[in-house]
């Protein structure tokens, strides 16, 4: 279950929809679609959420390229959801660490 994605509310649902419906065949194409979605939403965010989503956008292309050769099947898209969820959890942890260091 994509609990980290869904915890983002409407934006998380949009990102989840984009993972499932983007016309991408290769991982870099899916990464581009997801980063575009994040960049569209990023100006509406502030503080920790903004840092977290920025980190996610930075990590997505490399992570998807390493994990997949193609993303045009349903099984690959479901695994991509899990990967994005894990990256989002990691980004949350990294932004939490920065806050406690201040």
């Amino acid at each position: 279950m994509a609990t980290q994605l869904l915890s983002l509310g409407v934006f998380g649902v949009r990102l989840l929809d984009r993972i499932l419906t983007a016309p991408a065949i290769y991982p870099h194409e899916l990464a581009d679609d997801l980063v575009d979605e994040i960049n569209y939403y990023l100006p509406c965010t502030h503080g920790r959420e903004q840092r977290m989503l920025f980190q996610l956008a930075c990590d997505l292309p490399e992570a998807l390229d390493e994990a997949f050769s193609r993303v045009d099947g349903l099984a690959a898209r479901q695994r991509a959801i899990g990967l994005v969820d894990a990256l989002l959890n990691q980004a949350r942890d990294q932004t939490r660490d920065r806050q406690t260091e201040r």
Side-chain angles (χ1 to χ4, degrees):
M1 181 84 178
T3 55
Q4 297 300 318
L5 275 169
L6 295 177
S7 72
L8 293 174
V10 173
F11 174 68
V13 172
R14 286 181 58 173
L15 204 55
L16 185 61
D17 179 61
R18 195 84 175 247
I19 294 169
L20 292 172
T21 63
I25 295 173
Y26 299 105
H28 68 275
E29 295 171 335
L30 181 59
D32 288 347
D33 281 343
L34 298 177
V35 170
D36 285 347
E37 189 71 33
I38 292 168
N39 285 337
Y40 177 78
Y41 180 71
L42 207 54
C44 301
T45 63
H46 302 285
R48 181 174 176 222
E49 183 181 26
Q50 190 173 56
R51 291 189 308 272
M52 179 184 63
L53 291 176
F54 179 78
Q55 184 66 45
L56 177 63
C58 291
D59 293 342
L60 267 172
E62 183 178 351
L64 286 172
D65 275 340
E66 287 178 1
F68 301 98
S69 58
R70 293 177 66 110
V71 291
D72 53 340
L74 181 58
R77 296 297 176 107
Q78 290 173 334
R79 286 189 7 243
I81 290 169
L83 177 64
V84 171
D85 205 54
L87 289 172
L88 189 54
N89 191 41
Q90 182 180 336
R92 280 184 197 269
D93 289 345
Q94 289 174 351
T95 59
R96 186 173 297 126
D97 290 343
R98 278 193 216 143
Q99 281 186 331
T100 57
E101 291 175 1
R102 289 183 185 177

